[in-house]
Amino acid sequence: DEKGNFSFSGWIAEEFANVGDDCLHATAEGYARKRAEVSPDGPTNFRLTAGDRLEAQIIDATGQPVPSARVDAIAYRRSGDLDTCTTSTDADGHFVLTSLRVDLPHTLVIRARGLGRYLLDFDHSFAVNGVINLGVVTVPHGRAIEGIVVDDSGEACASQSIYMFGHNPDRNKLRPDVADFACRGLYGQRESITTDDLGRFRFPDLAPGNYTIVAHRSARPDAKVEIALTPDRDVLDVRIEFAAGESLTIRVETDSGQPVNAANISLGESPNRVQGTTNSDGVAEFSGLPSSDVTLKISVPTEYRQPPEQTVVPHGQVVRVVVQEATQISGIVLGRNREVLPGLKVAISGAPISEDGVSTTTRVDGTFDLPVSRGKIVELTASGKARDTVWYGRVASISSPAT
């Protein structure tokens, strides 16, 4: 309102459990985006600061202005800080972006029909009195990558999901002394499409640069190719082929022989991890696997205890994994003054060793639920940072189920 106050009605704290201070963001014209930690027992306040203004003109390789180009400025870091702003160029190729955060480097993403998608990193050391003027930005002619996806028998893969990531090599030219890019993996740097009924795909309007194209299928290794796209020609003969390999079947069931549906199966480690999910029969079938040791990890629904990981060598066999039905230990974590403590890690430690590594995070109201095998006697620990203080607590000899 006119005093800067706001309120939400129908606030459901549990929807933001485990989210922490990413819940609320505030923006206003001329001010940079700000996030604030949501307090379960008090007001959530924002202190906004002025944002920077970015202006430039976009032209093509012939020197002509580019009208109606989409321009985005994106900033992100893993702590959850995010900033985005979007506009379009006018008839003379000019654009203005306002209210940019000054504490984060940004990636400028420029897209226009017939021109190459162009990325340009910048930070706010360029600002003079709150204005960043990039002058004239030249965007190259667009090139294309197209091809086909086939399986290990050479048959076309229709309706196959594929994604591509890459960018122009000079995106960091304004920050040559900075080792990393301003923003990775978001809009403008990755694009997803689906092949047609003949397994064909096409990525148009790309800037020259190095690109990776990946075809992904559940329960088998990805197929990918690396493409060097040059300014003088399109690449129109790409062939992405899923490799042949070993098969492996995972069957997940309870100790009474009942199948476990919707168990998530993971084979290997990133970046070569292969994932699948069990069906209603408790079965997940994998193919195209290497005939070497892979780590098998299984994540089952919360009504079951998580099984330990193991190592397998795929050679067409069936691996049977037995899980125990679980019950819940539920509770609340309080501070020394009985204040609730959201965002703390609650974990099982001590005897029995088979329970080690099971953990959860307290919700915004300090409560938690933890799956434990029925009748187990365990020790719980709570630790982490909440309310600007580091906490640690322990309670022993808890027998499940318990509250």
Side-chain angles (χ1 to χ4, degrees):
D1 59 22
E2 66 278 1
K3 295 182 179 180
N5 297 317
F6 70 94
S7 64
F8 283 97
S9 59
W11 180 272
I12 302 175
E14 294 231 354
E15 290 185 359
F16 296 95
N18 306 329
V19 179
D21 59 356
D22 268 342
C23 293
L24 289 180
H25 294 250
T27 59
E29 182 63 32
Y31 292 90
R33 178 193 295 261
K34 184 73 173 181
R35 65 177 187 165
E37 183 173 350
V38 176
S39 173
D41 53 4
T44 299
N45 297 322
F46 295 90
R47 185 181 296 275
L48 301 185
T49 56
D52 275 349
R53 170 189 173 100
L54 174 70
E55 55 189 40
Q57 182 190 26
I58 299 175
I59 63 173
D60 63 20
T62 67
Q64 295 300 307
V66 180
S68 303
R70 172 167 173 160
V71 182
D72 297 88
I74 304 173
Y76 176 79
R77 59 187 175 200
R78 291 184 178 178
S79 63
D81 283 329
L82 173 69
D83 194 29
T84 61
C85 192
T86 302
T87 191
S88 297
T89 56
D90 63 18
D92 295 320
H94 291 96
F95 72 89
V96 174
L97 294 170
T98 62
S99 308
L100 298 175
R101 286 182 57 165
V102 302
D103 59 330
L104 294 175
H106 285 69
T107 295
L108 195 67
V109 182
I110 303 170
R111 306 190 75 159
R113 185 179 298 275
L115 299 180
R117 182 185 62 202
Y118 193 74
L119 275 58
L120 185 63
D121 292 350
F122 67 93
D123 57 46
H124 296 266
S125 63
F126 296 101
V128 178
N129 297 324
V131 178
I132 303 172
N133 190 331
L134 297 182
V136 176
V137 178
T138 302
V139 177
H141 177 70
R143 288 298 177 186
I145 298 174
E146 65 179 52
I148 188 172
V149 181
V150 298
D151 61 21
D152 54 7
S153 66
E155 293 294 320
C157 296
S159 302
Q160 170 67 51
S161 296
I162 62 175
Y163 64 89
M164 177 201 65
F165 57 92
H167 50 78
N168 48 292
D170 62 342
R171 62 174 287 185
N172 220 23
K173 64 183 181 181
L174 300 181
R175 307 166 74 234
D177 298 327
V178 180
D180 201 7
F181 298 121
C183 185
R184 285 184 176 271
L186 296 178
Y187 167 80
Q189 301 162 74
R190 175 171 167 149
E191 186 174 343
S192 299
I193 59 174
T194 302
T195 60
D196 65 12
D197 56 350
L198 298 178
R200 299 173 301 185
F201 65 88
R202 177 177 172 86
F203 292 99
D205 297 339
L206 301 176
N210 295 319
Y211 295 89
T212 301
I213 303 178
V214 180
H216 175 77
R217 280 188 173 179
S218 177
R220 71 173 304 152
D222 291 341
K224 66 179 181 179
V225 294
E226 307 286 342
I227 304 293
L229 190 59
T230 59
D232 59 327
R233 68 180 186 91
D234 299 331
V235 177
L236 307 177
D237 56 354
V238 177
R239 182 181 176 90
I240 304 176
E241 184 171 353
F242 285 99
E246 299 290 343
S247 64
L248 178 68
T249 299
I250 308 296
R251 175 176 173 82
V252 184
E253 58 187 41
T254 66
D255 46 11
S256 62
Q258 296 300 309
V260 177
N261 185 31
N264 293 318
I265 314 297
S266 174
L267 293 173
E269 303 294 340
S270 181
N272 299 314
R273 183 182 296 118
V274 181
Q275 295 177 304
T277 305
T278 58
N279 58 23
S280 59
D281 295 323
V283 173
E285 297 180 334
F286 293 81
S287 60
L289 300 173
S291 56
S292 56
D293 289 357
V294 293
T295 301
L296 167 62
K297 298 178 183 179
I298 301 177
S299 176
V300 293
T302 56
E303 60 264 33
Y304 306 102
R305 278 280 295 115
Q306 302 300 319
E309 65 181 56
Q310 57 180 292
T311 300
V312 298
V313 179
H315 55 78
Q317 77 273 36
V318 177
V319 175
R320 178 173 174 262
V321 178
V322 178
V323 298
Q324 295 177 318
E325 295 186 47
T327 57
Q328 298 285 343
I329 291 179
S330 302
I332 186 170
V333 179
L334 302 175
R336 59 178 66 91
N337 297 318
R338 301 195 62 78
E339 68 272 32
V340 299
L341 300 177
L344 294 192
K345 178 182 178 182
V346 178
I348 294 175
S349 61
I353 295 176
S354 62
E355 303 283 359
D356 284 353
V358 177
S359 65
T360 188
T361 304
T362 56
R363 305 181 182 93
V364 72
D365 60 356
T367 60
F368 68 89
D369 297 307
L370 200 59
V372 182
S373 300
R374 182 177 295 276
K376 293 290 186 180
I377 299 176
V378 298
E379 178 179 281
L380 298 183
T381 62
S383 60
K385 186 176 182 179
R387 302 183 182 278
D388 297 320
T389 302
V390 177
W391 302 86
Y392 179 82
R394 182 175 63 184
V395 58
S397 299
I398 301 296
S399 179
S400 67
T403 300

PDB file of all heavy atoms in Angstrom, residues 154-181:
ATOM      1  N   GLY A 154      19.788 -48.766 -35.406  1.00  0.00           N
ATOM      2  CA  GLY A 154      19.744 -47.876 -36.548  1.00  0.00           C
ATOM      3  C   GLY A 154      18.366 -47.346 -36.880  1.00  0.00           C
ATOM      4  O   GLY A 154      18.208 -46.574 -37.840  1.00  0.00           O
ATOM      5  N   GLU A 155      17.339 -47.727 -36.095  1.00  0.00           N
ATOM      6  CA  GLU A 155      15.979 -47.244 -36.326  1.00  0.00           C
ATOM      7  C   GLU A 155      15.831 -45.823 -35.800  1.00  0.00           C
ATOM      8  O   GLU A 155      16.365 -45.469 -34.744  1.00  0.00           O
ATOM      9  CB  GLU A 155      14.974 -48.158 -35.636  1.00  0.00           C
ATOM     10  CG  GLU A 155      14.896 -49.555 -36.236  1.00  0.00           C
ATOM     11  CD  GLU A 155      14.357 -49.543 -37.656  1.00  0.00           C
ATOM     12  OE1 GLU A 155      13.417 -48.761 -37.923  1.00  0.00           O
ATOM     13  OE2 GLU A 155      14.882 -50.299 -38.490  1.00  0.00           O
ATOM     14  N   ALA A 156      15.075 -45.002 -36.542  1.00  0.00           N
ATOM     15  CA  ALA A 156      14.851 -43.612 -36.131  1.00  0.00           C
ATOM     16  C   ALA A 156      14.070 -43.551 -34.823  1.00  0.00           C
ATOM     17  O   ALA A 156      13.157 -44.346 -34.590  1.00  0.00           O
ATOM     18  CB  ALA A 156      14.097 -42.863 -37.225  1.00  0.00           C
ATOM     19  N   CYS A 157      14.436 -42.590 -33.981  1.00  0.00           N
ATOM     20  CA  CYS A 157      13.781 -42.397 -32.691  1.00  0.00           C
ATOM     21  C   CYS A 157      12.789 -41.244 -32.812  1.00  0.00           C
ATOM     22  O   CYS A 157      13.169 -40.070 -32.733  1.00  0.00           O
ATOM     23  CB  CYS A 157      14.805 -42.101 -31.606  1.00  0.00           C
ATOM     24  SG  CYS A 157      15.954 -43.451 -31.285  1.00  0.00           S
ATOM     25  N   ALA A 158      11.520 -41.570 -33.057  1.00  0.00           N
ATOM     26  CA  ALA A 158      10.479 -40.551 -33.171  1.00  0.00           C
ATOM     27  C   ALA A 158      10.102 -40.023 -31.795  1.00  0.00           C
ATOM     28  O   ALA A 158      10.186 -40.743 -30.793  1.00  0.00           O
ATOM     29  CB  ALA A 158       9.250 -41.136 -33.859  1.00  0.00           C
ATOM     30  N   SER A 159       9.718 -38.748 -31.743  1.00  0.00           N
ATOM     31  CA  SER A 159       9.286 -38.099 -30.488  1.00  0.00           C
ATOM     32  C   SER A 159      10.335 -38.229 -29.396  1.00  0.00           C
ATOM     33  O   SER A 159      10.006 -38.365 -28.220  1.00  0.00           O
ATOM     34  CB  SER A 159       7.945 -38.685 -30.024  1.00  0.00           C
ATOM     35  OG  SER A 159       6.948 -38.523 -31.006  1.00  0.00           O
ATOM     36  N   GLN A 160      11.583 -38.202 -29.787  1.00  0.00           N
ATOM     37  CA  GLN A 160      12.688 -38.305 -28.837  1.00  0.00           C
ATOM     38  C   GLN A 160      13.032 -36.925 -28.275  1.00  0.00           C
ATOM     39  O   GLN A 160      13.238 -35.975 -29.028  1.00  0.00           O
ATOM     40  CB  GLN A 160      13.918 -38.894 -29.527  1.00  0.00           C
ATOM     41  CG  GLN A 160      15.203 -38.832 -28.728  1.00  0.00           C
ATOM     42  CD  GLN A 160      15.153 -39.722 -27.515  1.00  0.00           C
ATOM     43  OE1 GLN A 160      14.821 -40.892 -27.609  1.00  0.00           O
ATOM     44  NE2 GLN A 160      15.474 -39.167 -26.350  1.00  0.00           N
ATOM     45  N   SER A 161      13.096 -36.813 -26.965  1.00  0.00           N
ATOM     46  CA  SER A 161      13.488 -35.550 -26.334  1.00  0.00           C
ATOM     47  C   SER A 161      14.995 -35.362 -26.443  1.00  0.00           C
ATOM     48  O   SER A 161      15.764 -36.272 -26.106  1.00  0.00           O
ATOM     49  CB  SER A 161      13.068 -35.538 -24.863  1.00  0.00           C
ATOM     50  OG  SER A 161      11.670 -35.591 -24.747  1.00  0.00           O
ATOM     51  N   ILE A 162      15.399 -34.204 -26.918  1.00  0.00           N
ATOM     52  CA  ILE A 162      16.815 -33.877 -26.974  1.00  0.00           C
ATOM     53  C   ILE A 162      16.996 -32.440 -26.484  1.00  0.00           C
ATOM     54  O   ILE A 162      16.075 -31.634 -26.530  1.00  0.00           O
ATOM     55  CB  ILE A 162      17.415 -34.036 -28.391  1.00  0.00           C
ATOM     56  CG1 ILE A 162      16.735 -33.082 -29.373  1.00  0.00           C
ATOM     57  CG2 ILE A 162      17.291 -35.464 -28.878  1.00  0.00           C
ATOM     58  CD1 ILE A 162      17.374 -33.111 -30.749  1.00  0.00           C
ATOM     59  N   TYR A 163      18.170 -32.154 -25.978  1.00  0.00           N
ATOM     60  CA  TYR A 163      18.468 -30.786 -25.579  1.00  0.00           C
ATOM     61  C   TYR A 163      19.867 -30.411 -26.041  1.00  0.00           C
ATOM     62  O   TYR A 163      20.724 -31.278 -26.271  1.00  0.00           O
ATOM     63  CB  TYR A 163      18.303 -30.594 -24.073  1.00  0.00           C
ATOM     64  CG  TYR A 163      19.250 -31.382 -23.199  1.00  0.00           C
ATOM     65  CD1 TYR A 163      20.489 -30.871 -22.832  1.00  0.00           C
ATOM     66  CD2 TYR A 163      18.885 -32.631 -22.710  1.00  0.00           C
ATOM     67  CE1 TYR A 163      21.346 -31.578 -22.021  1.00  0.00           C
ATOM     68  CE2 TYR A 163      19.736 -33.349 -21.891  1.00  0.00           C
ATOM     69  CZ  TYR A 163      20.972 -32.825 -21.548  1.00  0.00           C
ATOM     70  OH  TYR A 163      21.822 -33.538 -20.745  1.00  0.00           O
ATOM     71  N   MET A 164      20.065 -29.125 -26.193  1.00  0.00           N
ATOM     72  CA  MET A 164      21.327 -28.594 -26.681  1.00  0.00           C
ATOM     73  C   MET A 164      21.786 -27.484 -25.757  1.00  0.00           C
ATOM     74  O   MET A 164      20.974 -26.701 -25.250  1.00  0.00           O
ATOM     75  CB  MET A 164      21.150 -28.023 -28.087  1.00  0.00           C
ATOM     76  CG  MET A 164      22.398 -27.371 -28.657  1.00  0.00           C
ATOM     77  SD  MET A 164      21.969 -26.219 -29.975  1.00  0.00           S
ATOM     78  CE  MET A 164      21.048 -24.995 -29.055  1.00  0.00           C
ATOM     79  N   PHE A 165      23.071 -27.464 -25.476  1.00  0.00           N
ATOM     80  CA  PHE A 165      23.619 -26.341 -24.722  1.00  0.00           C
ATOM     81  C   PHE A 165      24.933 -25.896 -25.350  1.00  0.00           C
ATOM     82  O   PHE A 165      25.670 -26.693 -25.936  1.00  0.00           O
ATOM     83  CB  PHE A 165      23.788 -26.674 -23.243  1.00  0.00           C
ATOM     84  CG  PHE A 165      24.641 -27.877 -22.941  1.00  0.00           C
ATOM     85  CD1 PHE A 165      25.998 -27.749 -22.714  1.00  0.00           C
ATOM     86  CD2 PHE A 165      24.071 -29.139 -22.855  1.00  0.00           C
ATOM     87  CE1 PHE A 165      26.778 -28.849 -22.423  1.00  0.00           C
ATOM     88  CE2 PHE A 165      24.843 -30.254 -22.564  1.00  0.00           C
ATOM     89  CZ  PHE A 165      26.198 -30.107 -22.347  1.00  0.00           C
ATOM     90  N   GLY A 166      25.189 -24.606 -25.265  1.00  0.00           N
ATOM     91  CA  GLY A 166      26.376 -24.000 -25.852  1.00  0.00           C
ATOM     92  C   GLY A 166      26.124 -22.518 -26.062  1.00  0.00           C
ATOM     93  O   GLY A 166      25.041 -22.004 -25.773  1.00  0.00           O
ATOM     94  N   HIS A 167      27.123 -21.823 -26.593  1.00  0.00           N
ATOM     95  CA  HIS A 167      26.994 -20.367 -26.747  1.00  0.00           C
ATOM     96  C   HIS A 167      28.136 -19.839 -27.605  1.00  0.00           C
ATOM     97  O   HIS A 167      29.093 -20.564 -27.936  1.00  0.00           O
ATOM     98  CB  HIS A 167      27.028 -19.686 -25.373  1.00  0.00           C
ATOM     99  CG  HIS A 167      28.171 -20.120 -24.505  1.00  0.00           C
ATOM    100  ND1 HIS A 167      29.451 -19.662 -24.681  1.00  0.00           N
ATOM    101  CD2 HIS A 167      28.229 -21.002 -23.475  1.00  0.00           C
ATOM    102  CE1 HIS A 167      30.246 -20.218 -23.782  1.00  0.00           C
ATOM    103  NE2 HIS A 167      29.537 -21.042 -23.050  1.00  0.00           N
ATOM    104  N   ASN A 168      28.042 -18.587 -27.956  1.00  0.00           N
ATOM    105  CA  ASN A 168      29.099 -17.915 -28.702  1.00  0.00           C
ATOM    106  C   ASN A 168      30.364 -17.826 -27.843  1.00  0.00           C
ATOM    107  O   ASN A 168      30.297 -17.607 -26.621  1.00  0.00           O
ATOM    108  CB  ASN A 168      28.654 -16.516 -29.120  1.00  0.00           C
ATOM    109  CG  ASN A 168      28.031 -15.735 -27.975  1.00  0.00           C
ATOM    110  OD1 ASN A 168      26.946 -16.087 -27.511  1.00  0.00           O
ATOM    111  ND2 ASN A 168      28.691 -14.663 -27.531  1.00  0.00           N
ATOM    112  N   PRO A 169      31.553 -17.992 -28.430  1.00  0.00           N
ATOM    113  CA  PRO A 169      32.785 -18.050 -27.641  1.00  0.00           C
ATOM    114  C   PRO A 169      33.219 -16.719 -27.045  1.00  0.00           C
ATOM    115  O   PRO A 169      34.054 -16.698 -26.134  1.00  0.00           O
ATOM    116  CB  PRO A 169      33.827 -18.574 -28.645  1.00  0.00           C
ATOM    117  CG  PRO A 169      33.293 -18.163 -29.977  1.00  0.00           C
ATOM    118  CD  PRO A 169      31.805 -18.254 -29.861  1.00  0.00           C
ATOM    119  N   ASP A 170      32.672 -15.604 -27.523  1.00  0.00           N
ATOM    120  CA  ASP A 170      33.122 -14.303 -27.033  1.00  0.00           C
ATOM    121  C   ASP A 170      32.180 -13.703 -25.991  1.00  0.00           C
ATOM    122  O   ASP A 170      32.211 -12.504 -25.737  1.00  0.00           O
ATOM    123  CB  ASP A 170      33.292 -13.323 -28.192  1.00  0.00           C
ATOM    124  CG  ASP A 170      31.983 -13.058 -28.936  1.00  0.00           C
ATOM    125  OD1 ASP A 170      31.039 -13.877 -28.790  1.00  0.00           O
ATOM    126  OD2 ASP A 170      31.907 -12.057 -29.664  1.00  0.00           O
ATOM    127  N   ARG A 171      31.366 -14.513 -25.350  1.00  0.00           N
ATOM    128  CA  ARG A 171      30.374 -13.980 -24.410  1.00  0.00           C
ATOM    129  C   ARG A 171      31.015 -13.282 -23.221  1.00  0.00           C
ATOM    130  O   ARG A 171      30.407 -12.437 -22.593  1.00  0.00           O
ATOM    131  CB  ARG A 171      29.441 -15.088 -23.914  1.00  0.00           C
ATOM    132  CG  ARG A 171      30.134 -16.209 -23.138  1.00  0.00           C
ATOM    133  CD  ARG A 171      29.134 -17.193 -22.549  1.00  0.00           C
ATOM    134  NE  ARG A 171      28.406 -16.648 -21.415  1.00  0.00           N
ATOM    135  CZ  ARG A 171      27.558 -17.365 -20.685  1.00  0.00           C
ATOM    136  NH1 ARG A 171      27.330 -18.646 -20.987  1.00  0.00           N
ATOM    137  NH2 ARG A 171      26.945 -16.823 -19.653  1.00  0.00           N
ATOM    138  N   ASN A 172      32.259 -13.622 -22.904  1.00  0.00           N
ATOM    139  CA  ASN A 172      32.924 -13.051 -21.731  1.00  0.00           C
ATOM    140  C   ASN A 172      33.905 -11.939 -22.117  1.00  0.00           C
ATOM    141  O   ASN A 172      34.800 -11.598 -21.339  1.00  0.00           O
ATOM    142  CB  ASN A 172      33.667 -14.134 -20.953  1.00  0.00           C
ATOM    143  CG  ASN A 172      33.530 -13.970 -19.452  1.00  0.00           C
ATOM    144  OD1 ASN A 172      32.591 -13.341 -18.973  1.00  0.00           O
ATOM    145  ND2 ASN A 172      34.464 -14.532 -18.697  1.00  0.00           N
ATOM    146  N   LYS A 173      33.730 -11.342 -23.284  1.00  0.00           N
ATOM    147  CA  LYS A 173      34.717 -10.370 -23.754  1.00  0.00           C
ATOM    148  C   LYS A 173      34.741  -9.100 -22.911  1.00  0.00           C
ATOM    149  O   LYS A 173      35.758  -8.389 -22.889  1.00  0.00           O
ATOM    150  CB  LYS A 173      34.463 -10.021 -25.218  1.00  0.00           C
ATOM    151  CG  LYS A 173      33.132  -9.324 -25.502  1.00  0.00           C
ATOM    152  CD  LYS A 173      32.964  -9.095 -26.996  1.00  0.00           C
ATOM    153  CE  LYS A 173      31.661  -8.379 -27.319  1.00  0.00           C
ATOM    154  NZ  LYS A 173      31.490  -8.189 -28.781  1.00  0.00           N
ATOM    155  N   LEU A 174      33.660  -8.784 -22.219  1.00  0.00           N
ATOM    156  CA  LEU A 174      33.655  -7.609 -21.339  1.00  0.00           C
ATOM    157  C   LEU A 174      34.257  -7.913 -19.971  1.00  0.00           C
ATOM    158  O   LEU A 174      34.502  -6.991 -19.203  1.00  0.00           O
ATOM    159  CB  LEU A 174      32.222  -7.086 -21.160  1.00  0.00           C
ATOM    160  CG  LEU A 174      31.497  -6.639 -22.428  1.00  0.00           C
ATOM    161  CD1 LEU A 174      30.103  -6.132 -22.075  1.00  0.00           C
ATOM    162  CD2 LEU A 174      32.296  -5.542 -23.138  1.00  0.00           C
ATOM    163  N   ARG A 175      34.482  -9.190 -19.691  1.00  0.00           N
ATOM    164  CA  ARG A 175      35.045  -9.607 -18.394  1.00  0.00           C
ATOM    165  C   ARG A 175      36.182 -10.598 -18.651  1.00  0.00           C
ATOM    166  O   ARG A 175      36.166 -11.732 -18.167  1.00  0.00           O
ATOM    167  CB  ARG A 175      33.961 -10.249 -17.526  1.00  0.00           C
ATOM    168  CG  ARG A 175      32.716  -9.390 -17.353  1.00  0.00           C
ATOM    169  CD  ARG A 175      31.556 -10.186 -16.775  1.00  0.00           C
ATOM    170  NE  ARG A 175      31.742 -10.467 -15.366  1.00  0.00           N
ATOM    171  CZ  ARG A 175      31.700 -11.678 -14.824  1.00  0.00           C
ATOM    172  NH1 ARG A 175      31.529 -12.746 -15.602  1.00  0.00           N
ATOM    173  NH2 ARG A 175      31.853 -11.844 -13.528  1.00  0.00           N
ATOM    174  N   PRO A 176      37.198 -10.217 -19.427  1.00  0.00           N
ATOM    175  CA  PRO A 176      38.229 -11.189 -19.843  1.00  0.00           C
ATOM    176  C   PRO A 176      39.059 -11.745 -18.698  1.00  0.00           C
ATOM    177  O   PRO A 176      39.672 -12.802 -18.844  1.00  0.00           O
ATOM    178  CB  PRO A 176      39.094 -10.370 -20.819  1.00  0.00           C
ATOM    179  CG  PRO A 176      38.910  -8.946 -20.380  1.00  0.00           C
ATOM    180  CD  PRO A 176      37.478  -8.861 -19.931  1.00  0.00           C
ATOM    181  N   ASP A 177      39.086 -11.055 -17.573  1.00  0.00           N
ATOM    182  CA  ASP A 177      39.914 -11.517 -16.452  1.00  0.00           C
ATOM    183  C   ASP A 177      39.137 -12.387 -15.475  1.00  0.00           C
ATOM    184  O   ASP A 177      39.689 -12.818 -14.452  1.00  0.00           O
ATOM    185  CB  ASP A 177      40.495 -10.306 -15.706  1.00  0.00           C
ATOM    186  CG  ASP A 177      41.405  -9.465 -16.588  1.00  0.00           C
ATOM    187  OD1 ASP A 177      42.078 -10.055 -17.456  1.00  0.00           O
ATOM    188  OD2 ASP A 177      41.427  -8.228 -16.415  1.00  0.00           O
ATOM    189  N   VAL A 178      37.871 -12.657 -15.766  1.00  0.00           N
ATOM    190  CA  VAL A 178      37.042 -13.483 -14.888  1.00  0.00           C
ATOM    191  C   VAL A 178      36.990 -14.891 -15.464  1.00  0.00           C
ATOM    192  O   VAL A 178      36.652 -15.090 -16.634  1.00  0.00           O
ATOM    193  CB  VAL A 178      35.624 -12.905 -14.762  1.00  0.00           C
ATOM    194  CG1 VAL A 178      34.766 -13.777 -13.852  1.00  0.00           C
ATOM    195  CG2 VAL A 178      35.689 -11.475 -14.233  1.00  0.00           C
ATOM    196  N   ALA A 179      37.311 -15.896 -14.624  1.00  0.00           N
ATOM    197  CA  ALA A 179      37.443 -17.258 -15.119  1.00  0.00           C
ATOM    198  C   ALA A 179      36.104 -17.883 -15.497  1.00  0.00           C
ATOM    199  O   ALA A 179      36.008 -18.619 -16.487  1.00  0.00           O
ATOM    200  CB  ALA A 179      38.138 -18.127 -14.066  1.00  0.00           C
ATOM    201  N   ASP A 180      35.051 -17.609 -14.746  1.00  0.00           N
ATOM    202  CA  ASP A 180      33.772 -18.271 -14.981  1.00  0.00           C
ATOM    203  C   ASP A 180      32.782 -17.321 -15.644  1.00  0.00           C
ATOM    204  O   ASP A 180      32.961 -16.106 -15.633  1.00  0.00           O
ATOM    205  CB  ASP A 180      33.187 -18.781 -13.661  1.00  0.00           C
ATOM    206  CG  ASP A 180      32.159 -19.881 -13.869  1.00  0.00           C
ATOM    207  OD1 ASP A 180      32.008 -20.333 -15.021  1.00  0.00           O
ATOM    208  OD2 ASP A 180      31.532 -20.300 -12.887  1.00  0.00           O
ATOM    209  N   PHE A 181      31.721 -17.905 -16.198  1.00  0.00           N
ATOM    210  CA  PHE A 181      30.677 -17.100 -16.810  1.00  0.00           C
ATOM    211  C   PHE A 181      29.760 -16.518 -15.748  1.00  0.00           C
ATOM    212  O   PHE A 181      29.666 -17.031 -14.623  1.00  0.00           O
ATOM    213  CB  PHE A 181      29.876 -17.938 -17.804  1.00  0.00           C
ATOM    214  CG  PHE A 181      30.698 -18.468 -18.943  1.00  0.00           C
ATOM    215  CD1 PHE A 181      30.800 -19.826 -19.175  1.00  0.00           C
ATOM    216  CD2 PHE A 181      31.375 -17.600 -19.787  1.00  0.00           C
ATOM    217  CE1 PHE A 181      31.561 -20.319 -20.221  1.00  0.00           C
ATOM    218  CE2 PHE A 181      32.138 -18.077 -20.839  1.00  0.00           C
ATOM    219  CZ  PHE A 181      32.236 -19.435 -21.052  1.00  0.00           C
TER     220      PHE A 181
END
